[in-house]
Amino acid sequence: MAEKYGIRSVDLIFDALTLPISTGQDDYRTAGIETLNAIKRIKQELPEVKTILGVSNISFGLNTYARRVLNSVFMKEAVDHGLDMAIVNYAKIYPLYKIPEVEVELARKLIYFDKSGGDPLQVYMRHFTGLDKQPQAELAPVESLSVEDKLKRCIINGEKALGEGLRRQSLEQILEDALITYSPLEVINEVLLDGMKTVGELFGARKMQLPSVLDSAGVMKQAVGYLEPKMEKKDGAQKGTIVLATVKGDVHDIGKNLVDIILSNNGYKVVNLGIKQPSDIIIAAATAHNAHAIGLSGLLVKSTLEMKYVIQDLQAQKLEFPVICGGAALTRKYVEDDLRQEYSNSVFYADDAFAGLHIMDDLTSANGERDKRLQEGRVVKKFPKAVAAAGGQGSVSTERSPVVQPPPNIPVPPFFGVRVRKDFDLNEVFSYINHTALFKNQWQLKTASQADYLRLVEEKYIPILCELQKEAAAKGWL
């Protein structure tokens, strides 16, 4: 299609399809591995195209829990083989870390038709006979966990309560137990953030998908919201002021609000502008509050460009606010190389909330650390560049690709630009009027019976239409 019709490779999506490996039909026993190999081969031979797959067809006929386990493992294998998109109900997909390892292994053997332990389908079905439950990986009983591990399990599993029956504890009850040993800020810093770090590692290893990450973030947000009123603000005058904002087009604010809490409880005045803030609002707030720094946050990839626009506007207005950037889509290279090239003042990369606190401590310091930190923030760092596959940079060709042939018989427009015509033959225009649409819909004849409709049109509405047409032509309405 790319060669024949000139369609870009990146705009093509291949559905590798799959057939159920759960029916026992010999023809379909290897359908799982054949689909995975197909995805891998598509990506090898056509690296720019995208792949898509309807995942759940692989498990047709199994009971509910067995299907969900197989679907979850198969999707993970497909992604590892190069799958770009999946047609799936994510509510029925389990993160792999929640599934017992023995069940993950049984699913893999079924997918790869591994007969080392017997018929993989029969073994799989036998294991799941009578099972119709939520996955329960081999975890220690809740009662045996320390308060720290209870909180981490809540974060990692995205659960707001643990235990069963009378022993069930809400997130707030577990937090109260933690406050016996830790201060509220220590709970966030030493326990909750450690749990979120594990979430990030699971996500990076493809053992957790984005909806589960958002569940974990929701628990984190609830925990921080519960602890915030319990934090004692440090005594003394405010150490400095920072304007925080999630940039234009981005609605994510969990990380930003965590920064707000930590800075506020360490003696800083935080002007939190909220989400989707354009450059002019951010700069106006920083100016109005005489801020020591501006903090920009965003989760989306496009937010990195919005941060650049804010910095470019600061440069254009010759302002000197240090800027701290943070967010999941950012990299140190982008901030310390690309963004610093746009600004004559300082730009910093904060990979977590406490990095932002350390930067603010230096920016408000009176012992020389401020100047040292500001100078560091102006240094454009050079990072190793990836080497192109073809080797060398080479010159960019401006010649038309031989793959895309000129389309034949392109119509030549009679003119370019705008022309105004008033010399229409109204009789010709009127001939295109759809009488059914006009009379039934616009003139509300749709409730009349068929016989009455024909009679009314002939006796009344056609004459009215003709009179209106004559009047329009005579008075130049059109």
Side-chain angles (χ1 to χ4, degrees):
M1 292 179 71
E3 294 180 1
K4 185 174 181 180
Y5 298 107
I7 299 175
R8 298 185 308 165
S9 298
V10 293
D11 293 328
L12 295 175
I13 302 173
F14 284 77
D15 190 340
L17 299 176
T18 193
L19 294 168
I21 58 175
S22 48
T23 62
Q25 293 178 263
D26 289 338
D27 290 345
Y28 299 156
R29 287 297 192 106
T30 59
I33 183 59
E34 288 172 5
T35 298
L36 297 179
N37 288 338
I39 294 170
K40 185 176 182 179
R41 184 172 176 184
I42 290 169
K43 298 301 288 186
Q44 285 176 339
E45 298 192 13
L46 304 168
E48 293 185 344
V49 306
K50 303 300 181 185
T51 54
I52 191 170
L53 183 65
V55 173
S56 61
N57 200 41
I58 193 75
S59 62
F60 178 78
L62 297 173
N63 70 40
T64 301
Y65 179 58
R67 287 200 72 178
R68 293 184 180 183
V69 170
L70 183 56
N71 293 345
S72 303
V73 177
F74 185 59
M75 190 168 86
K76 167 64 165 57
E77 296 297 314
V79 170
D80 287 347
H81 280 73
L83 184 68
D84 297 299
M85 294 170 277
I87 303 170
V88 69
N89 180 350
Y90 185 75
K92 298 180 179 180
I93 294 291
Y94 300 133
L96 257 61
Y97 73 91
K98 285 189 175 183
I99 305 174
E101 185 58 37
V102 63
E103 295 178 358
V104 173
E105 189 58 30
L106 286 173
R108 285 200 178 106
K109 286 188 174 182
L110 179 55
I111 292 166
Y112 289 98
F113 195 46
D114 180 351
K115 297 187 287 185
S116 59
D119 185 323
L121 177 58
Q122 294 304 318
V123 174
Y124 190 81
M125 293 174 66
R126 190 160 53 245
H127 175 84
F128 288 97
T129 298
L131 292 183
D132 192 7
K133 56 172 186 172
Q134 292 291 317
Q136 296 292 333
E138 292 94 352
L139 298 174
V142 173
E143 296 78 10
S144 68
L145 296 177
S146 65
V147 67
E148 296 88 349
D149 288 337
K150 287 180 181 178
L151 286 174
K152 290 176 185 177
R153 182 177 291 188
C154 285
I155 292 289
I156 295 167
N157 289 352
E159 297 175 348
K160 297 179 180 179
L162 291 179
E164 301 292 339
L166 296 176
R167 295 183 177 181
R168 187 168 179 80
Q169 282 187 292
S170 68
L171 176 63
E172 289 75 14
Q173 290 173 321
I174 302 172
L175 288 170
E176 285 294 339
D177 289 345
L179 291 174
I180 297 173
T181 306
Y182 299 96
S183 70
L185 197 59
E186 287 173 336
V187 174
I188 294 174
N189 187 16
E190 299 178 20
V191 183
L192 299 180
L193 285 179
D194 194 40
M196 286 302 294
K197 180 181 178 182
T198 301
V199 170
E201 291 170 350
L202 290 169
F203 181 66
R206 296 176 178 170
K207 292 183 178 180
M208 178 185 283
Q209 283 77 38
L210 184 58
S212 295
V213 175
L214 297 179
D215 289 341
S216 297
V219 176
M220 179 74 175
K221 184 175 183 179
Q222 181 172 321
V224 170
Y226 183 78
L227 293 171
E228 182 179 7
K230 301 177 181 294
M231 294 183 183
E232 295 182 4
K233 299 187 182 292
K234 292 195 173 181
D235 296 331
Q238 289 175 334
K239 295 160 65 175
T241 301
I242 183 171
V243 170
L244 286 181
T246 300
V247 293
K248 180 180 176 182
D250 200 321
V251 298
H252 300 89
D253 64 351
I254 293 174
K256 172 180 62 64
N257 291 343
L258 180 58
V259 172
D260 183 347
I261 293 166
I262 291 172
L263 289 176
S264 297
N265 288 279
N266 276 272
Y268 291 96
K269 177 183 177 182
V270 178
V271 181
N272 192 335
L273 300 180
I275 61 174
K276 298 191 292 186
Q277 294 300 317
S279 173
D280 56 338
I281 298 296
I282 296 171
I283 294 174
T287 303
H289 293 278
N290 194 24
H292 289 81
I294 294 173
L296 301 179
S297 176
L299 180 70
L300 306 176
V301 173
K302 69 176 183 179
S303 297
T304 61
L305 290 176
E306 292 295 337
M307 292 180 188
K308 179 180 283 191
Y309 299 152
V310 175
I311 287 171
Q312 289 173 337
D313 288 347
L314 287 168
Q315 181 68 19
Q317 297 177 41
K318 298 182 179 173
L319 298 172
E320 297 184 347
F321 295 106
V323 180
I324 305 171
C325 299
L330 283 173
T331 64
R332 186 172 298 278
K333 175 188 180 304
Y334 181 75
V335 174
E336 297 181 351
D337 185 351
D338 297 65
L339 293 187
R340 284 181 181 175
Q341 293 186 47
E342 303 289 335
Y343 195 33
S344 58
N345 210 298
S346 303
V347 184
F348 302 98
Y349 173 63
D351 54 0
D352 60 38
F354 287 91
L357 173 62
H358 299 326
I359 294 170
M360 283 300 295
D361 284 344
D362 287 346
L363 292 179
T364 55
S365 174
N367 60 1
E369 289 299 319
R370 171 179 168 80
D371 292 338
K372 181 180 177 182
R373 178 69 88 161
L374 286 174
Q375 180 57 35
E376 173 197 320
R378 295 188 184 98
V379 177
V380 177
K381 296 184 179 180
K382 294 301 178 184
F383 293 79
K385 297 185 181 295
V387 179
Q393 294 186 351
S395 59
V396 178
S397 173
T398 58
E399 294 182 3
R400 184 181 180 87
S401 169
V403 173
V404 182
Q405 299 299 322
N409 305 321
I410 299 178
V412 178
F415 64 90
F416 292 96
V418 178
R419 290 185 183 177
V420 178
R421 276 194 60 191
K422 296 184 178 180
D423 56 341
F424 294 105
D425 181 353
L426 289 183
N427 290 324
E428 181 181 357
V429 174
F430 293 151
S431 70
Y432 289 102
I433 292 176
N434 185 320
H435 287 186
T436 301
L438 176 65
F439 297 145
K440 284 195 171 184
N441 297 333
Q442 300 301 318
W443 291 8
Q444 296 299 303
L445 266 179
K446 53 189 170 185
T447 59
S449 66
Q450 183 65 14
D452 286 344
Y453 173 78
L454 294 174
R455 178 178 59 79
L456 288 169
V457 166
E458 188 66 29
E459 295 177 0
K460 181 178 181 181
Y461 288 96
I462 288 291
I464 292 175
L465 178 60
C466 290
E467 288 299 321
L468 287 172
Q469 290 174 349
K470 290 178 183 178
E471 189 175 0
K475 296 183 177 181
W477 289 350
L478 301 177

